[in-house]
Every structure is written in structure tokens, then in C-alpha cells.
Amino acid sequence: MGNLKQIVVLALAVLSRTESIAARLPLSGRLLHPRYINDSFLVKNEYDYVIVGGGTAGLTVADRLSEDGSATVLVIENGPLPDSAAVTEVRGGFGGFSSPYFYRIQSVPQPELHNASYPVLVGKAVGGSSAVNAMMTVRGTSEDYDRWGQLFRGGGSGRASPWGWDGLLPYFKKAVTFTEPGPEVRDAVDIEYDASYWGNTSTVYAGWPSFQYPGLAPQIKAFRDMPGVEFPPDSGAGRAGVYWFPTFMDPRKVQRSYARTGHYDGINRTSYDLIYNAKVTNVSIDEDLTANGVVFQMPVKNATKLAFVKAKKEVILAAGAVHTPQLLQLSGVGPKTLLDKAGIETLVDLPGVGENFQDHPMLGIAIMLRNFTVHPSPMDLMTNRNFSKWAQEVWDKNRTGPYSIAMGNVAAWLGMPVISPERHESIASKLEEQDHAAYLPPDTHPTVLAGYQAQMNALATSIRSSNTAFYSLSISGGNMPAGSSVLLHPLSRGSVRLNTSAPTTSEPVVDYRALSNPLDLEILAEFVRFTRAYHYNTSLAEYDPYEMLPGPEVTSDEDIAAYIRRSLSPSEYHPSGTAAMLPRALGGVVDEQLKVYGVRGLRVIDASVMPTLPGANTCQTVYAVAEKAADLIKADA
Ligand SMILES: Cc1cc2nc3c(=O)[nH]c(=O)nc-3n(C[C@H](O)[C@H](O)[C@H](O)COP(=O)(O)OP(=O)(O)OC[C@H]3O[C@@H](n4cnc5c(N)ncnc54)[C@H](O)[C@@H]3O)c2cc1C
Ligand SMILES: *[C@@H]1O[C@H](CO)[C@@H](O)[C@H](O)[C@H]1NC(C)=O
Ligand SMILES: *[C@@H]1O[C@H](CO)[C@@H](O)[C@H](O)[C@H]1NC(C)=O
Ligand SMILES: *[C@@H]1O[C@H](CO)[C@@H](O)[C@H](O)[C@H]1NC(C)=O
Ligand SMILES: *[C@@H]1O[C@H](CO)[C@@H](O)[C@H](O)[C@H]1NC(C)=O
Ligand SMILES: *[C@@H]1O[C@H](CO)[C@@H](O)[C@H](O)[C@H]1NC(C)=O
Ligand SMILES: *[C@@H]1O[C@H](CO)[C@@H](O)[C@H](O)[C@H]1NC(C)=O
Ligand SMILES: *[C@@H]1O[C@H](CO)[C@@H](O)[C@H](O)[C@H]1NC(C)=O
Ligand SMILES: *[C@@H]1O[C@H](CO)[C@@H](O)[C@H](O)[C@H]1NC(C)=O
Ligand SMILES: *[C@@H]1O[C@H](CO)[C@@H](O)[C@H](O)[C@H]1NC(C)=O
Ligand SMILES: *[C@@H]1O[C@H](CO)[C@@H](O)[C@H](O)[C@H]1NC(C)=O
Ligand SMILES: *[C@@H]1O[C@H](CO)[C@@H](O)[C@H](O)[C@H]1NC(C)=O
């Protein structure tokens, strides 16, 4: 069994964190943008809007604000402009941990995880994290967005708020063009979808690989044996359940579709400039507390020097949830206690900047289906050289076959009443009765604590609802689950703070504070029990399940908790929440217009503004938020 265990661990690692051996593709036919600027002498002195960060949100908003030519936009991106097909190549999913297009950041040691430190993965390139992500195209349920609106309305209904499901759905449609699966794969594996939840005007595409493993069908079917599991008509329906979802892929080219291909490449507009390899060091805020431009390090020949560019209308922060709070803090907008330590003058004491940090923790649970003989499977691809050689040839010649799959296209997204009919009510009650202050750092500002309490009360309600997904499990089509189970609504909150001993020269200090709220551990333990039941108490039982991880001997609460502490990853690379859209009295950093409290002419538009994570990978939500942000900004112009 030793070897088999090794293969499974390897397979899980490969499937959930794919290392790609990307074949290089010619970039023929692509327009070379005339406004790619790599020399600061070409940057004008002033623009209407200066956008910090040429990532997922930044490029989306830059495109929208400049499209009718009435306003000028400059995007400043710290990363390079990769000329490599490694970014667009669908084969193998994201570029792997060795990709040069990541920041190199390690979290602080996590005391609840044996003091282990974890890599903080965020993209560093034109396109940001959308250039390196795993391309899963999913959104949360309606309740995830209604909760955002609710937090502004004293717990009342968030449905009708501008950021509730009804308010965001048009922007989900605007953000991504849906393309239907081809008949070869739709009929073979019975992909269900409903295009009415999608739009068809965006230049960012969601498509379907031309190949799916036939073994998916029995694994989907087995969920019908689990009470309460629903099968929504589409991944975009805003409902929890087991469903198919597309991939951020342009199906005509079988290439990654991301912020750069959708909102920059091929656009030839004098109203839209972008400079790359240029790092913004701080926002310039005048005595009237108005943001008037940014200071950035610009590449000049082989050196860098500081430059200033003026923003006539607004500075827009889109540096992602790790670097946006750092930039606010460096600009004098943040918790005064922190800024004092770093020797930075406080312009606006905003205690929420960098707090409320959230990511999706992942827990490996590996159960083999020993008698599962539906071929081909991902396991065949990894263990059968002939098959992988064939797959490579088909891919090289035709861009079809198993290598056209970036990640699997079906998963379960389930609420706590489904996962844990027995214990979810007691977990919800415990959450309501908790002394919430005990699970934040002792020096937490009262407004940040109030925001945490409001979130925990809202999430207690969500624990009782089957339409807020807490658990996800991807399905592989092989004899083991494809990836990890993911905690979609963690109760623990971390922080992103500038490094007070080297504020301007070092990366921010990232602390997940994983499992700092002990109820996360109780919820994850329910995931282990549910995943076991799904394998042993359904039609999958006939395939002779064998538990590799945590292992059949791990049954007591104590042993399961010990396994979780040993093997949890605190991140699925979905950092968010660090410049939360919440009332200021709840530790908020931006209002419902995404304007930073206390400063004029400054907004945040990236993953930092999400007050609570959606129960889904975050990219599609970031695009929708950015599309809505563009309309809010235009309405103010
Ligand atoms: C490895 C990985 C896999 C993922 N998989 C998926 C998935 O399959 N599906 C999904 O939905 N989501 C996925 N995500 C998450 C998703 O990609 C992100 O949530 C989303 O892209 C974040 O968008 P953003 O605009 O907030 O930030 P980003 O897209 O990260 O953009 C921020 C940009 O700002 C730049 N920047 C930072 N600081 C500065 C500065 N000082 N000056 C100038 N520029 C600066 C950065 O270089 C970066 O380009 C994944 C993420 C990663 C990292
Ligand atoms: C983690 O580190 C802290 C501080 O260094 C130490 O007190 C604690 O004992 C460590 N915990 C574990 C589990 O190693
Ligand atoms: C796009 O969607 C609209 C309505 O949603 C529909 O009328 C139109 O036919 C669609 N166009 C294409 C090219 O699919
Ligand atoms: C961009 O537009 C300008 C002005 O319309 C035109 O002269 C130029 O050829 C265009 N460049 C490309 C690469 O399309
Ligand atoms: C931020 O920018 C201003 C320019 O307006 C500059 O004077 C100031 O020194 C900068 N602050 C930091 C911390 O770099
Ligand atoms: C800008 O790009 C040109 C052409 O690719 C290159 O020769 C030059 O060295 C670059 N300049 C900088 C500052 O990177
Ligand atoms: C480039 O950098 C090298 C090494 O730092 C230095 O010796 C050289 O003078 C620089 N060249 C220019 C043109 O600045
Ligand atoms: C690969 O194919 C060759 C002959 O074509 C065969 O001898 C060999 O056993 C096959 N290997 C595997 C792993 O199937
Ligand atoms: C190439 O793709 C076409 C269309 O999907 C398919 O019919 C054909 O069999 C493929 N060829 C190979 C070698 O896989
Ligand atoms: C803060 O910066 C200093 C100096 O670069 C570095 O030695 C230290 O490790 C950093 N601290 C953290 C927590 O990253
Ligand atoms: C299967 O169901 C039975 C009866 O409900 C239960 O006792 C048992 O614990 C379940 N097994 C698993 C692995 O969940
Ligand atoms: C698995 O397959 C073997 C060999 O075909 C068979 O003996 C065994 O009963 C099967 N196990 C189950 C649980 O069906």
C-alpha cells in the first residue's frame, strides 16, 4: 500500500496544484499594443484616473473607463508583461508554483498549525492573479452577496441592496461571455447548464474543454444518495449543490482567457496607457485629504527612480488584497497604532485597513475507490506512459483530449445542514454565544470587533441555511477525489500589515490566523465525516473505498483535530477582505460606492473589498465587482 499511498498523495498534489510543462505557442495574429509602456518618459504628466495594479480588477475597470474615449486612464503594474505562452496555455491549469509570475511572500508562522509558515500566492504580471490562476469559473450563492448588503442594513434583508444578488447578477452577466460545451463532451458526460444566467458581450470568456473523464458520471450520481443534496440548473444560478462549471478559456483558441486578453491586448486607444515593471510606493494625499496622484518607481534604462503622476479625477487601488492594504498604510491611511510604530504620519485613522483578512482553507481528504475501473481517468494519465504520450500527441496536434482540461469542471458546493444534519445547529448556536473578542488579537479596535460580531451573527444564520455553501469537493473522474475539501466560509480572521521595521522595502506581514476561531476546526471535522459518508454510504461503496487520508484509524474528535492541524493549508489563494466594504462603525474601509472613508478621490475595486468571502473561487466575483465599480465611477464623473 506504501507505493499506492505515494501515488495518491502525488496525484492530489498534481491535480490540485498543477505544475505545467507548457508547450510554447506562437503568438501569431495578436495585435501588439501601441501603448505598452516600459519607459516612464512615455507616461504623461496627468490622467483622469490612475489605477494601481494591472490585475484582474484593474484592467477590467481601465478598459471600461477608457472605452468611449471621454476619460484618460493610466494603469501602473508592478509585474512584467510576459511574452510567454506559459500564461495562456490551458494545458496543466495554472503555471505552477515555480511560475516566475508570483510574489515571493511567506506567511508568519501559524500557531494553530504547529507554527508552520505558508506561501502567499498572488500574481505579479500584467493580468495579476487571473494570469496564474486555475481558471475555475464559479460564483457564490445568492446568500453570499445578500450578506454583503445586509451588513450595511443592520441585519435586515440585503437582497435589494446594490451589492445583493439582484444587484450583482447583471454584472456577473456583463463580466464573462459564456460559451456552450461542444456536443462531443456535453452528450458524453451529460453536462447540465443554463445560459440564461450568463452574458455574451464580454471579451473575457468561459468555455469548456473538449474532453471530460467518463468516470465523473457515477461520482456525480452518488451524491443523489446523500440527503439534501441539490442539483442546480447552472453554476451561475446562485444556488448551492452539485454542478458543472466552465473554465476561463477562450474555446476558439483553447487558451486562458484572462484580464489581459479580455481587457488589454488588442485594444488600441490613446485614452488607455499601461506601464509595467513599475511599482507604486504610495498614494499622494493633499492637506484637504484628497488623493491627487501616486508616487511610483519607474524603470529607466537599468535603474529605477521615483516619479509622480497626477490623477485629475481619482486614484483607484487594484493591487489585490495583499498589496492594497499595504499601500493604504504606506499612504497614511490605516490603524494609527500600526502607522505610529512604522513612523508613518497618520492622515486618516482607519483601523480596518489590513484587518478582516480571509482566505479559503483547504484540507486533504483522500479516499481511493479501488474497484473503480472507468477509463481513462486522471490516474491513467499519471501512471500509464502510453496514455500520457497519446494525450500529449493529441494536445500538440489538435488541442483536444485530456490535456485540454485545466481543472475538473464539476464539484459539490454544500451547506452545513446537508454536511452535518446532526451538528450544524449546535455549531450555529455556539457561534452566536461565543465571546467573539476572544478570537481576535487583544488590541483589536472596537469597530473592527463590532464588524466581526456582525459577520459572525450573519454566518450563524448561514450555517442553518442549505443555500450558503460551506463545503466544496471537486470530483476527479478517477478513483480518488480530485482535490481538497475547501472551507468556503471560514470564521477565523487574519491580517495584512506593513512590516514596521522595513515598511517601504519589504513585503507586508501576512497572518492567516488559521483556526484562531476554534469552530473552524469543528466544521472541518464535519467535512471529514461527510466525505467518508459520501464514499462509504452511497453507490460508491461498490467500488471498494479505501481511506488514505486521514486514515481509517482517525475517528475520535481529538484525532481528527490533530490531523487537521497537521495538514490544513490556510489558503486556496483567495486573499480578500482587507479593505472591507462595511460601515465605518463596523471596521469598514470603503463605503458602498467603494470610496475610502475619510479621503476624497480614492477607491478600492479589488478582492480587498469583499466583506465576507463568497462560497466559491474568487475570480468571477472580482470581475463582477470591477464591472459594477466602473459604472459607479462613471456615474460620478
Ligand atoms: C494560484 C492561484 C489559483 C487561483 N485559482 C482560481 C480559480 O481557479 N478560480 C477563481 O475564481 N479564482 C482563482 N484564484 C483567485 C483569483 O485569481 C483572484 O481572487 C483574483 O484574480 C484577484 O483579483 P484582484 O484584482 O483582486 O488582484 P490581482 O489580479 O492579483 O491583481 C493585483 C495586481 O496589482 C499589482 N500590484 C500589487 N502591488 C502593486 C504596486 N505597489 N504597484 C503596482 N502594482 C501592484 C500586482 O502585481 C497584480 O498584478 C486563484 C489565485 C491564485 C493565485
Ligand atoms: C509556536 O511558537 C510559539 C512562539 O515561538 C511557541 O510559544 C509555541 O510553543 C509554538 N507552538 C508549537 C506548537 O510549536
Ligand atoms: C446574446 O444574448 C441576447 C440576450 O441575452 C440574445 O438575444 C442574443 O441572441 C445573444 N447573442 C449571441 C451571439 O449569442
Ligand atoms: C492604433 O490606432 C492608430 C490611430 O487610429 C493607428 O494609426 C495605428 O495603426 C493603430 N495601431 C494598431 C497596432 O492597430
Ligand atoms: C507619499 O507621497 C508624497 C507625495 O505627495 C510624498 O511627499 C511622501 O513622502 C510619500 N510618502 C511616503 C511614505 O513615501
Ligand atoms: C523597453 O522595451 C524595449 C523593447 O522591448 C527594450 O529594448 C528596453 O530595454 C525596455 N526598457 C526598459 C526600461 O525595460
Ligand atoms: C547599468 O547597471 C550597471 C551595474 O549596476 C552599471 O555598471 C551601468 O553603468 C548601468 N548602465 C547604465 C546605462 O546606467
Ligand atoms: C505501452 O505500449 C507498449 C506497446 O505498444 C506495451 O508493450 C507496453 O506494455 C505499454 N505500457 C503500458 C504502461 O501500458
Ligand atoms: C481532433 O479533433 C477533432 C474534433 O474534436 C476530432 O474529431 C479528432 O478525432 C481529433 N484528432 C485527434 C488525433 O485526436
Ligand atoms: C520585516 O523586515 C525585516 C527587514 O527586511 C525582515 O528581516 C523581517 O523578516 C521582516 N518581518 C516579517 C515578519 O516579514
Ligand atoms: C453510514 O450510515 C450509517 C447509518 O446512518 C452510519 O451509522 C454510519 O456511520 C455511516 N457511515 C459513514 C462512513 O458515514
Ligand atoms: C472489488 O473487486 C474484487 C475483484 O473483482 C472483488 O472480489 C471484490 O468483491 C470487489 N469489492 C467490492 C467492495 O465490490
Side-chain angles (χ1 to χ4, degrees):
M1 231 41 202
N3 277 343
L4 188 53
K5 187 159 182 164
Q6 263 179 339
I7 290 172
V8 169
V9 172
L10 178 78
L12 284 171
V14 169
L15 285 168
S16 60
R17 318 162 167 197
T18 318
E19 294 286 336
S20 140
I21 320 139
R24 295 193 155 229
L25 289 177
L27 290 169
S28 60
R30 178 171 295 164
L31 274 179
L32 270 191
H33 198 285
R35 306 302 299 176
Y36 282 143
I37 297 175
N38 69 348
D39 186 325
S40 59
F41 292 118
L42 297 170
V43 174
K44 293 173 205 142
N45 291 332
E46 56 179 42
Y47 292 81
D48 290 318
Y49 300 101
V50 174
I51 298 181
V52 180
T56 316
L59 295 182
T60 304
V61 170
D63 183 10
R64 296 302 179 210
L65 294 181
S66 65
E67 66 191 348
D68 71 3
S70 65
T72 56
V73 178
L74 172 68
V75 175
I76 305 178
E77 167 55 42
N78 188 22
L81 176 78
D83 62 359
S84 159
V87 171
T88 49
E89 193 65 22
V90 168
R91 208 210 120 158
F94 63 94
F97 290 139
S98 55
S99 163
Y101 309 121
F102 284 121
Y103 287 89
R104 302 288 158 203
I105 306 174
Q106 281 292 126
S107 79
V108 300
Q110 297 296 290
E112 302 294 331
L113 304 177
H114 298 283
N115 283 342
S117 164
Y118 295 83
V120 178
L121 286 190
V122 282
K124 182 184 184 182
V126 174
S129 297
S130 75
V132 294
N133 73 17
M135 312 194 311
M136 290 172 65
T137 312
V138 283
R139 24 182 123 141
T141 70
S142 57
E143 289 182 359
D144 291 336
Y145 307 104
D146 291 349
R147 191 180 310 112
W148 293 3
Q150 209 179 47
L151 292 165
F152 269 92
R153 282 159 191 78
S157 169
R159 189 67 186 245
S161 89
W163 292 96
W165 172 252
D166 293 342
L168 264 180
L169 186 57
Y171 293 101
F172 277 116
K173 291 182 176 177
K174 186 172 186 187
V176 184
T177 285
F178 176 83
T179 56
E180 305 200 351
E184 71 285 359
V185 60
R186 188 186 59 219
D187 299 339
V189 288
D190 198 16
I191 296 176
E192 283 181 42
Y193 62 93
D194 178 347
S196 72
Y197 292 102
W198 297 85
N200 59 19
T201 57
S202 179
T203 43
V204 173
Y205 295 94
W208 301 84
S210 59
F211 179 90
Q212 297 287 334
Y213 292 106
L216 292 169
Q219 293 182 31
I220 296 169
K221 183 174 150 279
F223 274 106
R224 296 196 182 272
D225 299 338
M226 297 303 290
V229 173
E230 294 191 22
F231 296 81
D234 190 89
S235 67
R239 286 170 53 191
V242 175
Y243 51 72
W244 289 88
F245 55 86
T247 291
F248 281 116
M249 179 183 88
D250 182 334
R252 298 160 307 180
K253 302 177 187 159
V254 196
Q255 284 182 347
R256 175 188 293 272
S257 180
Y258 69 116
R260 175 175 158 191
T261 56
H263 296 297
Y264 194 70
D265 282 347
I267 296 174
N268 180 8
R269 266 177 221 155
T270 54
S271 54
Y272 183 176
D273 283 359
L274 178 145
I275 181 169
Y276 57 94
N277 289 335
K279 181 180 177 178
V280 173
T281 59
N282 71 303
V283 181
S284 166
I285 298 173
D286 68 21
E287 286 158 6
D288 299 334
L289 296 179
T290 302
N292 56 34
V294 307
V295 180
F296 65 103
Q297 290 173 346
M298 59 184 197
V300 185
K301 305 290 181 228
N302 66 355
T304 59
K305 72 169 196 181
L306 284 182
F308 172 78
V309 61
K310 182 175 174 182
K312 287 190 284 181
K313 289 184 173 149
E314 291 192 30
V315 173
I316 296 169
L317 295 182
V322 171
H323 292 104
T324 284
Q326 181 199 28
L327 273 169
L328 283 168
Q329 291 162 3
L330 286 173
S331 309
V333 180
K336 185 169 186 306
T337 46
L338 175 71
L339 303 192
D340 283 351
K341 278 187 210 140
I344 292 171
E345 186 196 350
T346 301
L347 301 180
V348 181
D349 183 9
L350 206 48
V353 175
E355 302 304 302
N356 192 44
F357 177 48
Q358 298 163 56
D359 200 331
H360 287 137
M362 293 196 286
L363 182 68
I365 306 171
I367 304 181
M368 294 283 301
L369 298 169
R370 281 182 291 202
N371 278 7
F372 201 81
T373 54
V374 184
H375 295 292
S377 77
M379 196 66 143
D380 296 324
L381 194 59
M382 275 173 291
T383 56
N384 182 330
R385 280 173 204 279
N386 291 349
F387 182 62
S388 62
K389 191 165 163 258
W390 168 81
Q392 182 66 53
E393 281 167 10
V394 170
W395 170 251
D396 288 345
K397 280 202 198 94
N398 212 5
R399 302 183 70 78
T400 57
Y403 281 132
S404 61
I405 302 179
M407 293 290 276
N409 288 90
V410 63
W413 314 79
L414 304 173
M416 286 304 287
V418 177
I419 293 303
S420 179
E422 312 270 303
R423 301 205 200 183
H424 75 277
E425 176 51 45
S426 87
I427 293 173
S429 305
K430 280 188 206 165
L431 181 57
E432 284 165 334
E433 285 152 23
Q434 259 183 356
D435 173 13
H436 297 119
Y439 305 116
L440 293 178
D443 55 354
T444 297
H445 193 272
T447 57
V448 174
L449 172 59
Y452 184 59
Q453 287 166 330
Q455 289 182 42
M456 293 306 109
N457 287 328
L459 287 170
T461 305
S462 304
I463 288 172
R464 298 189 176 100
S465 165
S466 41
N467 204 30
T468 293
F470 270 74
Y471 164 97
S472 84
L473 185 74
S474 24
I475 302 169
S476 75
N479 51 12
M480 73 276 174
S484 311
S485 64
V486 178
L487 173 52
L488 297 171
H489 289 287
L491 307 174
S492 302
R493 295 290 178 269
S495 61
V496 176
R497 298 175 181 167
L498 47 72
N499 181 332
T500 52
S501 54
T504 56
T505 52
S506 62
E507 289 290 356
V509 177
V510 177
D511 188 354
Y512 293 104
R513 298 185 74 255
L515 302 186
S516 53
N517 189 320
L519 285 176
D520 279 343
L521 199 62
E522 276 193 47
I523 291 172
L524 285 160
E526 294 306 287
F527 289 8
V528 173
R529 298 189 179 98
F530 177 83
T531 308
R532 284 176 174 160
Y534 163 63
H535 285 87
Y536 289 90
N537 270 358
T538 66
S539 50
L540 294 183
E542 70 189 67
Y543 300 112
D544 198 9
Y546 176 80
E547 183 173 323
M548 321 282 312
L549 297 169
E553 70 287 359
V554 179
T555 52
S556 69
D557 288 355
E558 294 71 28
D559 288 352
I560 292 176
Y563 173 74
I564 293 169
R565 289 183 191 283
R566 265 200 323 275
S567 39
L568 189 75
S569 158
S571 171
E572 200 191 6
Y573 327 121
H574 300 158
S576 48
T578 48
M581 177 174 62
L582 281 172
R584 200 168 175 176
L586 296 184
V589 174
V590 300
D591 64 15
E592 286 186 294
Q593 301 281 309
L594 305 182
K595 291 177 178 172
V596 175
Y597 291 115
V599 187
R600 274 180 292 275
L602 183 62
R603 288 192 225 228
V604 179
I605 58 162
D606 59 28
S608 323
V609 304
M610 301 180 190
T612 57
L613 276 164
N617 306 52
T618 39
C619 198
Q620 197 186 162
T621 299
V622 169
Y623 280 121
V625 166
E627 293 284 6
K628 188 172 174 74
D631 273 3
L632 292 172
I633 295 164
K634 282 184 191 170
D636 262 12

